[in-house]
Amino acid sequence: MNPLLETTIDLVRMQTVRTNAEELARAIVYCRQFFAGFPFMEWTVNGVTSLLVGKANARLVLHGHLDVVPAPAALFEPRLEGEKLFGRGTNDMKGAVAVLMHALRDGNYDHVSLLLTTDEEVGGMNGAGVVAEELKLEFFLSGEPTRLQVGNRAKGVLHVDVRFTGKSAHASTPWQGESAIAKAAVFVNALGTLFLQHGDYYTTCNVGKINGGDAYNKVADACTVSLDIRHVPSDDPDTIIAKLAQYGAVSVIARGSCAFCPEDEQHVQLLMKALAQESIPPKLIAKHGASDARFFTEHGIPAVVFGPLGDGSHAPDEHVIVKSLEQYYRVIKRFCELTK
């Protein structure tokens, strides 16, 4: 079997959701064994483990996250259909992780290290958020899925809870109470006017969870709406929070800044050159999602995201194109050679 495909399958079979500490630990052990003989650094912060393979003073750091979003057990048994490998994490981002692992082990570069984190899907604060404060490097490349395009811009992220309060009463006499759920419903319906579409790159808002009430026969006196907001640089996050606060009590659960890397940055140019040399048209794109790269741009370190072909991240049909793993490997190897 193709070694890139074999390693991807090994990684996908590990059910590395953030709440499964045993499987996350098994993935870290797997990676350490894969790199037997390489130097390591390891961080464990609030139960989150990150692993740096290679020299701590490497100028270039490649990155992948081992954690995935929850899925039915069947999605952790990868299946190959034609040119596509299906399974949780194939696209986001264990296919890329497998390639980065092989590229570093095969090249054994003095100037390149690989950072593997385990909390990107829940914000990354205890993983890359900690490591970014300690490493000194020239460039950071995360293997997030980009379809072999270079993501040099990304939206910022806000995770917020908006809490509504009311007055409880018996359900048979609702006029004696005040429903917090009804208030929340008005708020959810208003979100469409708070977050308007402008062009093809704009701030978005997703209602991820609604939690309210504790009995069928009781007017709910509390309800919380949990939002995931991805904002463009022109939309100030504090202004967004202030708008939400006009409806209910806002608690900020997590926030991350927008990420940007100039097109003329030397490593970006070398990555574009590596793509061209592999006959892949080099293209810069703006990403809708956030990534661990933002922690490094916040410290003034140029960072991009660049990953193989695939689709369906977080969805039942998540997959990676097997042929693109080979293409991605060749580009990463060439990029590492060009940055010596």
Side-chain angles (χ1 to χ4, degrees):
M1 183 184 290
N2 178 326
L4 301 178
L5 179 60
E6 185 175 7
T7 302
T8 301
I9 289 173
D10 284 348
L11 292 172
V12 172
R13 283 178 171 153
M14 301 179 200
Q15 300 188 24
T16 51
V17 297
R18 186 54 247 167
T19 54
N20 194 331
E22 183 177 346
E23 286 290 88
L24 287 165
R26 188 160 75 96
I28 291 292
V29 170
Y30 176 92
C31 294
R32 290 186 70 110
Q33 292 174 343
F34 183 95
F35 285 106
F38 275 68
F40 294 97
M41 286 185 65
E42 190 170 302
W43 294 259
T44 300
V45 179
N46 295 324
V48 173
T49 298
S50 302
L51 184 68
L52 183 75
V53 183
K55 295 182 177 179
N57 62 349
R59 293 183 285 109
L60 168 63
V61 172
L62 308 176
H63 164 264
H65 64 84
L66 296 167
D67 60 313
V68 297
V69 296
L75 290 184
F76 291 99
E77 186 52 49
R79 70 184 194 278
L80 187 60
E81 296 183 6
E83 63 178 6
K84 299 177 181 178
L85 179 70
F86 288 86
R88 174 59 77 237
T90 48
N91 191 49
D92 187 15
M93 55 172 286
K94 290 180 175 178
V97 168
V99 171
L100 297 176
M101 289 170 64
H102 280 272
L104 180 61
R105 189 174 71 174
D106 295 348
N108 196 13
Y109 303 103
D110 284 336
H111 71 297
V112 183
S113 290
L114 173 63
L115 175 63
L116 297 169
T117 58
T118 61
D119 71 334
E120 193 275 343
E121 295 291 3
V122 293
M125 281 74 70
N126 293 304
V130 172
V131 178
E133 296 180 355
E134 299 189 20
L135 295 184
K136 306 298 180 185
L137 59 145
E138 293 181 3
F139 191 72
F140 179 87
L141 184 152
S142 178
E144 292 282 1
T146 64
R147 301 184 61 82
L148 294 175
Q149 300 167 324
V150 180
N152 71 323
R153 290 179 290 158
K155 295 177 181 178
V157 60
L158 276 175
H159 287 171
V160 300
D161 285 345
V162 185
R163 181 175 172 81
F164 300 87
T165 57
K167 178 183 176 183
S168 61
H170 196 281
S172 64
T173 55
W175 56 85
Q176 294 181 351
E178 186 179 24
S179 173
I181 292 177
K183 292 181 180 180
V186 172
F187 168 71
V188 170
N189 286 330
L191 290 175
T193 61
L194 293 177
F195 298 94
L196 298 175
Q197 180 175 342
H198 299 287
D200 58 1
Y201 196 63
Y202 53 93
T203 296
T204 60
C205 176
N206 176 65
V207 179
K209 296 186 296 182
I210 299 178
N211 184 21
D214 54 18
Y216 286 97
N217 58 348
K218 177 183 174 184
V219 175
D221 60 359
C223 184
T224 299
V225 179
S226 299
L227 304 177
D228 178 301
I229 300 165
R230 306 301 172 108
H231 61 88
V232 296
S234 58
D235 285 342
D236 176 60
D238 291 327
T239 300
I240 293 173
I241 292 169
K243 289 181 178 179
L244 299 177
Q246 295 176 7
Y247 292 84
V250 177
S251 298
V252 178
I253 306 305
R255 64 189 295 168
S257 62
C258 300
F260 173 73
C261 186
E263 180 178 353
D264 59 0
E265 198 278 332
Q266 60 175 334
H267 296 87
V268 174
Q269 288 299 304
L270 290 174
L271 181 55
M272 303 289 272
K273 182 178 180 179
L275 280 161
Q277 289 178 347
E278 291 296 331
S279 301
I280 301 171
K283 181 181 179 181
L284 293 170
I285 60 170
K287 290 283 290 179
H288 292 283
S291 76
D292 280 344
R294 73 183 188 274
F295 294 111
F296 291 84
T297 60
E298 288 172 359
H299 286 80
I301 298 167
V304 299
V305 293
F306 172 64
L309 287 167
D311 207 351
S313 295
H314 300 193
D317 63 344
E318 182 176 0
H319 64 272
V320 68
I321 306 299
V322 175
K323 180 182 177 181
S324 79
L325 297 178
E326 294 281 357
Q327 294 174 296
Y328 185 54
Y329 175 86
R330 293 195 298 270
V331 173
I332 290 295
K333 286 277 288 180
R334 191 176 289 274
F335 174 61
C336 291
E337 293 290 338
L338 290 172
T339 54
K340 280 186 175 179

